[in-house]
Amino acid sequence: MIHHERSLTIDVAPDAVWAVLSRYMHINEFAPQITSVDALTNGEVGMGSKRRNHFANGTSLVEEVTEWKPGAGYTVQLSDMAAMPLKEASSEIRITPTGGRSKVTWTFDYRVKYGPLGWLLGQTMMKMMMGKIIDVNLKGLSDKARAG
């Protein structure tokens, strides 16, 4: 698996960041590339919750919560990624308190299709692209958390 990680320190308390992240079915409120979300599960959000994220380019994917740590973050497993060059992928968002502020770390672990050529694509273009996407998502999360 290829591992990619970005962090941003946000000038709000961790509970303000969690207030945004815990609205799991509403990631489109701060992730600009996601145009809409379909809730695929009912009831309280947590372990096993599933959503389908729809992107501006017409593609979509499903994320299922595999780890839910109230106030600290969550991990998701991605699926239904046929339009993407990914075999498998997971992502984690962690909140670490830092003196009244919040360090948010967003990771993306993935395996690319197409063997050695895919691995090279994953280490170069995909890593650059994912870095930009995660940075924009972290900025959106920061803006949303600071706005309350």
Side-chain angles (χ1 to χ4, degrees), residues 67-104:
E67 188 172 7
W68 186 261
K69 296 180 183 175
Y74 57 78
T75 303
V76 296
Q77 184 71 38
L78 283 66
S79 62
D80 291 356
M81 305 175 291
M84 299 175 184
L86 300 175
K87 258 199 249 190
E88 61 180 295
S90 64
S91 183
E92 178 186 23
I93 304 172
R94 290 187 312 270
I95 307 166
T96 306
T98 57
R101 297 166 57 183
S102 304
K103 179 181 177 186
V104 180

Side-chain angles (χ1 to χ4, degrees), residues 25 38-42 49-52 61-63 80:
M25 300 300 177
D38 298 332
L40 301 179
T41 53
N42 296 316
S49 293
K50 282 182 161 184
R51 66 185 175 203
R52 177 176 294 281
L61 59 79
V62 171
E63 292 181 325
D80 291 356

Side-chain angles (χ1 to χ4, degrees), residues 1-12:
M1 292 277 261
I2 298 169
H3 178 79
H4 197 62
E5 181 171 312
R6 299 290 247 233
S7 295
L8 179 67
T9 299
I10 303 173
D11 197 20
V12 297

Side-chain angles (χ1 to χ4, degrees), residues 33-64:
Q33 293 88 359
I34 300 174
T35 57
S36 65
V37 176
D38 298 332
L40 301 179
T41 53
N42 296 316
E44 191 171 324
V45 173
M47 285 288 291
S49 293
K50 282 182 161 184
R51 66 185 175 203
R52 177 176 294 281
N53 299 336
H54 296 274
F55 300 96
N57 67 3
T59 63
S60 69
L61 59 79
V62 171
E63 292 181 325
E64 179 177 358

